[in-house]
Amino acid sequence: MDKIHKVLVANRGEIAVRIMRACRELGIHTVAVYSDAEQGSFHVRSADEACFLGPAAPSESYLSIERVLEAARTTHADAIHPGYGFLSENADFAQAVREKGLIFIGPRPEAIRAMGDKVEARARMQARGVPTVPGYQESNEDAALERAADKIGYPVLVKAAAGGGGKAMRVVPGREELLEALGAARREARHAFGDERLFLEKYIEKGRHIEFQVLADEHGKTLHLFERECSIQRRHQKIIEETPSPLLNAEMRAKMGAAAVAAAEAVGYVNAGTVEFIVDPAEREFYFLEMNTRLQVEHPITEMTTGLDLVKWQIRIADGQALPFRQAELAQRGHAIECRVYAEDPANRFLPSTGCLLRVVGPRGPGIRLDSGYETGDEVTVYYDPLVAKLIAHAETRDEAVHRMRAALQDYCVLGVTTNVEFLDAVLSHPEFNAGQATTTFVEEEFGAWQPNKEAFTPLALVGAALIDTLTPAVKSAEEEIGGKGNRFDPWRRNDTFRIGAK
Amino acid sequence: MRFRYQSGDEIRTVDLVKTSTGYRASMNGQDWPVVVVRNEPGELTMMLGDEPLTIQWAADGMRRWIFNRGKTFMLTATTFIPSERKGRREREQAHAGERMILAPMPGHVRAIQVAEGDGVAKGQTLILLEAMKMEIRIQAPRAGRLKRLLVQKGVSVERDQVLCEIE
């Protein structure tokens, strides 16, 4: 590298670990930053140096521009990688980094600003001829929005101008629910982004979410690295992604790829970014949704099929290097799927679960990649996103990739907190998914009442537990644990899953 | 030796008797010869009859987490004698669930939309919690009157903390 010798990773969890791995391979030193809640966490252990930021609340640590810049100054880092989330799409941060004479590994602040304002981005795309979803962005008055919604036709989607990641987004089925949805979305938008402007989009009910990875250098070359299909979502958040998309043919792929490149060029984009489209499968029409001006959670599936390391290219581009390949030289090889493993309970409205990961054993094997943010003994806290890891399977065909993923999920042991691993396996076994026809409403429709196999008293589990209690002296016997703790029938002293009010 | 494990509201017993080659395990009137062939920290392989089974496990107080081939089991070691108290406990639990509204997860109280003494309708939003960057609505499980409010706006709550009481 010419200019980059030490990178401060302004993030946590799996993405910080993944970025540090790329840095190590490039011979670049890494600095981790951490909050009170994450001293000694996996991303800290993965770095060459670590710098304390502040209290656990993100606003006082990972979201504090001042503290991150101070950490870069004291550790003499020459570049900052923002990862995803936190400050990654904050134009003021990107600008402040540059003003301190440091390299921001990502796009220019102007491009972040233009794409971050969804209303402005829509206007810019329309000017450039990139198709956008029919919608309304001209006013924020309730009355105007109500009139516009009538014109667009229900169901309508309420979105935040500063939004992203499914936050402050509401699907409104009819006129009666619009005002309440606007109120809730405004509250959430003000809280999450400090900006309560909203806009409306026609809700494409059986839509497919397909995005294109772009890579642009500082020398005027913009390429796309093909698509990722992210239709499998719960509460507007992706849980399974794959590439290639089973919906696209070569012609449509070329058209959408060209539109993605045009979208990036419209804002002078540099570095890695993702252009999101919604596709109406019935009419095979695609519409620009938004551009994510950062590395995407699901970037590994593109890496598996194109053979390119996106994080390394981000760093090389930020270092001033030119992309040495042409669009025609890029190809998709095989099929890759990613599953997002969350500490959450799919049987209870996907509510996050927290606690210590008592034991983690990851799957291994040909074509399996695990990007994990936690190891045995680490704590999943309430402060941050409950993403534990991303499991990626790569194989020759879609069918083989699905089977490879299912086998890997069944080998993935996470003890101590409830995860969605069994749920992911159930989704992958569904005929609609296997036919490649699942849309963004698939999970809600097919798995709304999903329950795990609750059969706890199998011979394996009972005999296993009894053997553990016999062979492991460190495991306390039942008598010992309950004795000394007062009334053993006191429900508040019980150490099991008993919950008042739980169904 | 006799072991009792609980899952949900059910309790089962398993007996383990040492033999010359390993153990004899019995439950539900069935029994198997068991031989432990490998025992590493957190990982144990047994022959359960003719079947080789490897489990990953962890213990957390009374809880026993056991994993095998995509299935995770969580059992709680217990000394409860099942027949003794089960009926009464179930009744208490059902009654309490109707009355007390608990926090489904740790978070902060962002807004309170009812006052003590208010009548509430089934499904009415009582409290807005914020947890993990999400807004969670706490709704009334049935119609009634808000007897007590036990939290204020802005406070932090733990999972299962009582938020309010309906009568």
Side-chain angles (χ1 to χ4, degrees):
Chain A
M1 294 295 132
D2 273 356
K3 301 177 246 174
I4 299 177
H5 306 286
K6 193 191 245 188
V7 171
L8 181 139
V9 181
N11 216 299
R12 54 167 301 282
E14 67 83 21
I15 195 61
V17 175
R18 193 262 170 272
I19 293 163
M20 288 169 192
R21 184 168 296 133
C23 288
R24 232 176 81 201
E25 290 177 26
L26 290 170
I28 296 170
H29 260 69
T30 53
V31 180
V33 288
Y34 64 95
S35 73
D36 271 332
E38 296 203 298
Q39 195 169 21
S41 66
F42 188 29
H43 81 277
V44 172
R45 301 195 295 274
S46 306
D48 296 316
E49 274 175 60
C51 188
F52 174 70
L53 280 184
S59 58
E60 295 179 71
S61 45
Y62 299 106
L63 277 172
S64 165
I65 294 179
E66 202 183 315
R67 291 188 190 200
V68 171
L69 289 176
E70 179 58 18
R73 194 184 64 80
T74 55
T75 56
H76 304 289
D78 40 36
I80 295 181
H81 196 306
Y84 55 67
F86 295 123
L87 293 170
S88 63
E89 293 183 287
N90 184 319
D92 294 339
F93 176 63
Q95 187 149 356
V97 170
R98 288 171 154 237
E99 281 165 6
K100 293 276 177 200
L102 302 175
I103 294 171
F104 179 77
I105 302 176
R108 297 192 186 104
E110 302 76 45
I112 300 177
R113 206 163 270 136
M115 286 300 189
D117 189 322
K118 308 300 168 199
V119 168
E120 188 191 334
R122 273 174 64 87
R124 287 227 201 181
M125 292 308 115
Q126 286 159 3
R128 182 78 191 214
V130 177
T132 58
V133 186
Y136 179 78
Q137 69 226 41
E138 280 76 24
S139 163
N140 254 287
E141 300 295 319
D142 278 353
L145 289 166
E146 233 176 347
R147 274 196 305 277
D150 284 341
K151 214 166 130 199
I152 296 164
Y154 287 94
V156 84
L157 202 54
V158 175
K159 285 174 135 183
K167 288 190 190 76
M169 188 155 102
R170 289 280 189 290
V171 179
V172 184
R175 194 168 213 270
E176 317 73 66
E177 286 99 329
L178 183 67
L179 286 178
E180 201 199 330
L182 289 173
R186 270 199 194 106
R187 263 201 311 281
E188 234 175 285
R190 186 170 54 228
H191 189 78
F193 317 111
D195 176 353
E196 58 173 38
R197 284 178 306 137
L198 304 174
F199 67 101
L200 300 178
E201 266 181 7
K202 181 172 179 55
Y203 181 57
I204 296 173
E205 228 157 332
K206 297 277 176 189
R208 304 274 289 250
H209 178 119
I210 298 176
E211 60 186 29
F212 273 70
Q213 176 70 49
V214 297
L215 212 48
D217 64 19
E218 290 172 354
H219 310 280
K221 187 188 272 180
T222 305
L223 304 172
H224 74 81
L225 273 62
F226 311 102
E227 79 279 14
R228 292 184 288 257
E229 167 142 16
C230 315
S231 298
I232 311 298
Q233 307 183 352
R234 53 125 182 91
R235 292 208 263 174
H236 307 297
Q237 288 186 340
K238 302 163 189 170
I239 50 172
I240 298 174
E241 301 98 348
E242 63 180 310
T243 184
S245 160
L247 184 74
L248 297 193
N249 55 26
E251 185 201 344
M252 207 163 162
R253 179 171 293 120
K255 253 188 167 159
M256 291 176 74
V261 168
E265 285 175 344
V267 294
Y269 201 85
V270 168
N271 215 291
T274 295
V275 181
E276 295 191 347
F277 297 101
I278 185 109
V279 181
D280 188 336
E283 296 171 22
R284 295 198 150 250
E285 293 289 348
F286 65 90
Y287 306 101
F288 170 88
L289 273 185
E290 61 182 36
M291 181 169 186
N292 297 311
T293 54
R294 53 166 161 86
L295 187 65
Q296 203 84 336
V297 177
E298 59 274 21
H299 75 275
I301 55 174
T302 297
E303 297 187 319
M304 303 303 270
T305 49
T306 60
L308 297 172
D309 186 313
L310 281 167
V311 176
K312 284 191 196 166
W313 279 110
Q314 282 195 294
I315 296 169
R316 292 191 189 110
I317 288 169
D319 196 58
Q321 296 184 28
L323 290 168
F325 31 78
R326 290 171 293 122
Q327 187 69 56
E329 289 173 300
L330 300 176
Q332 293 166 292
R333 194 179 147 272
H335 197 98
I337 301 177
E338 173 182 281
C339 283
R340 298 193 189 183
V341 176
Y342 283 106
E344 66 180 19
D345 187 356
N348 185 15
R349 295 180 292 153
F350 297 102
L351 285 184
S353 47
T354 57
C356 181
L357 297 176
L358 301 171
R359 184 163 175 79
V360 181
V361 184
R364 277 164 297 191
I368 294 296
R369 167 174 169 183
L370 184 66
D371 283 19
S372 180
Y374 298 86
E375 292 180 313
T376 298
D378 290 338
E379 189 96 18
V380 180
T381 68
V382 292
Y383 301 105
Y384 312 111
D385 190 81
L387 179 69
V388 173
K390 303 177 313 203
L391 181 58
I392 301 109
H394 183 216
E396 286 164 45
T397 64
R398 183 174 196 262
D399 198 40
E400 278 179 280
V402 171
H403 284 103
R404 183 164 275 176
M405 176 62 87
R406 292 196 60 195
L409 285 169
Q410 286 166 25
D411 275 347
Y412 193 4
C413 160
V414 180
L415 304 183
V417 301
T418 307
T419 70
N420 63 344
V421 169
E422 267 187 75
F423 178 76
L424 290 165
D425 188 36
V427 173
L428 290 177
S429 69
H430 195 284
E432 198 170 323
F433 176 82
N434 282 289
Q437 287 169 349
T439 69
T440 49
T441 54
F442 165 67
V443 169
E444 205 177 303
E445 285 167 5
E446 297 295 323
F447 293 91
W450 183 83
Q451 289 290 322
N453 182 1
K454 282 253 178 74
E455 190 200 354
F457 297 118
T458 64
L460 165 104
L462 278 171
V463 174
L467 282 175
I468 292 161
D469 284 337
T470 302
L471 296 170
T472 317
V475 174
K476 284 184 196 157
S477 75
E479 322 291 335
E480 244 179 281
E481 180 78 11
I482 286 170
K485 273 205 174 177
N487 177 9
R488 64 182 195 167
F489 296 114
D490 180 352
W492 306 113
R493 289 195 182 280
R494 281 169 53 177
N495 211 352
D496 60 14
T497 55
F498 166 69
R499 288 168 59 194
I500 289 178
K503 288 195 191 102
Chain B
M1 230 184 129
R2 172 159 289 191
F3 298 87
R4 283 198 186 86
Y5 298 100
Q6 179 186 348
S7 170
D9 268 355
E10 282 183 77
I11 293 174
R12 292 290 162 78
T13 304
V14 54
D15 289 300
L16 219 53
V17 179
K18 195 124 185 57
T19 63
S20 57
T21 51
Y23 300 91
R24 181 130 217 111
S26 52
M27 56 177 273
N28 290 346
Q30 281 182 289
D31 66 306
W32 303 266
V34 182
V35 179
V36 174
V37 292
R38 188 163 179 273
N39 184 16
E40 294 291 315
E43 186 176 315
L44 183 143
T45 306
M46 60 175 147
M47 295 295 296
L48 185 68
D50 295 333
E51 206 182 343
L53 293 169
T54 296
I55 58 173
Q56 304 291 335
W57 66 270
D60 167 19
M62 303 302 294
R63 296 183 189 186
R64 306 286 176 263
W65 298 77
I66 291 166
F67 172 90
N68 170 266
R69 285 270 171 122
K71 292 264 174 277
T72 303
F73 306 95
M74 210 275 285
L75 300 173
T76 305
T78 179
T79 52
F80 276 128
I81 309 299
S83 55
E84 224 175 68
R85 301 191 64 93
K86 193 178 161 192
R88 192 179 140 201
R89 202 176 75 239
E90 273 178 352
R91 280 200 304 278
E92 281 171 2
Q93 193 175 326
H95 184 57
E98 285 274 275
R99 210 148 49 84
M100 311 226 262
I101 313 295
L102 308 192
M105 56 185 298
H108 298 276
V109 176
R110 199 198 286 171
I112 292 180
Q113 306 193 332
V114 281
E116 278 184 13
D118 284 0
V120 296
K122 184 176 177 179
Q124 180 183 339
T125 301
L126 308 174
I127 291 170
L128 291 180
L129 275 191
E130 190 216 323
M132 293 192 149
K133 303 187 279 182
M134 290 185 308
E135 187 178 282
I136 294 166
R137 293 180 194 191
I138 307 297
Q139 294 168 324
R142 62 174 176 87
R145 192 181 67 88
L146 193 79
K147 189 182 175 197
R148 279 198 303 164
L149 193 57
L150 292 126
V151 292
Q152 299 88 42
K153 186 179 170 184
V155 301
S156 300
V157 293
E158 296 296 328
R159 175 174 163 164
D160 288 352
Q161 184 174 333
V162 182
L163 302 173
C164 58
E165 204 180 319
I166 292 178
E167 62 175 13

